[in-house]
Amino acid sequence: MPACSSPSYMASQAWLSQALSPSQSSHAVPVINLGRLKKDPATRALVIQDIVRACREWGCFQVVNHGISKSIMKGALEAASEFFELSAEHKEVFTSTDIRQPVRYDTSSRDGISRARSFLKHYANPLEDWVQFWPMYPPTYRKKIGEYAVEIQRVSMQLMDAILQGLGLRPMYLQEKLEKGMQFLALNNYPQFSHQDDRIGLAPHSDYGFLTILLQSSPGLEVMPHKDNSWKAIPAIPGALHVHIGDHLEVLSNGQLKSLVHRAILNPAEARISIASIHGLSMDEKVNCAKELVDDHHPKLYRGSSFHDFLDFLPSNIEYKRFVESLKIDGA
Ligand code: OGA
Ligand code: NI
């Protein structure tokens, strides 16, 4: 093998070019201006192309100009942080070992991947079905998280439509089911890193839905992009949202897109809040490979599964692996 194509030479070149031009676009997570989706068809087609390229190369991207006001985003982070500041007794009413509870609060590693984080998880779409179960304290919680959830659900619909069209599926594919589909919010609270701690707040994992949309109060999210398999920190660009691919989009796309492995690192400068919104079909609806993406040359790669199947899988997932690995059809 010539020296210039040996793995260590290429690795050192990659490192060098990264060190010399850290802001060069191919090294930074793609940022998509979502407002351009609503422009003329040619512009929309270009944005869709950019989104799908980001999904293939990175498994994630950031969105700006998504139409959610700064005050709604700030309000959601404030409500989350006020919830975590409540006394233990207000939070512990939501603690349960039953992962099927509609609202769940916990402080550590019952789920196998949490380290230092505490979290509150609950459903959000359709809002009128779920808001009655949400915390009543802080008193603004339901209003602020509700406003944010509705806006994020809207953005998730736009993104799914763009991604599925980018894969060659017809406009509005699955739209009705997505409208009624599940939205699952995970509010995460991470302490500031101190030197005695493990740096990891949340161990590497992928999310099970189609898409996750994440709002972070400060940096801490790291991703393993598909194109180069090394951890990359995701900056907290003011006003931007981070979007990544989940296991069920890998299934729906018949493996054309892959779910993104990510983790959270404790921030040395401050405690950190993030709000992850996970979007999928309704709980009992099985997600299958889109039949339009299966043919003689592209056999079906995954078995169908629902969110309930995912919940059944969780307790058996002791050595953490992606849910989608358990769905692969042998020999396909
Ligand atoms: C999650 C998650 C990342 C973060 O909640 O699934 O990956 O930065 N969160 O909190
Ligand atoms: Ni996650």
Side-chain angles (χ1 to χ4, degrees), residues 251-264:
V251 172
L252 184 67
S253 72
N254 197 27
Q256 286 199 36
L257 304 179
K258 299 274 192 278
S259 70
L260 180 79
V261 174
H262 56 284
R263 66 181 184 182

Side-chain angles (χ1 to χ4, degrees), residues 113 117 186 188 190 202-208 212 214 221 244 260-264 276 278 320:
I113 58 167
R117 78 163 175 174
N188 302 303
Y190 302 94
L202 185 58
H205 66 283
S206 64
D207 298 336
Y208 67 84
T212 297
L214 185 105
L221 175 67
H244 63 233
L260 180 79
V261 174
H262 56 284
R263 66 181 184 182
I278 295 177
Y320 179 79

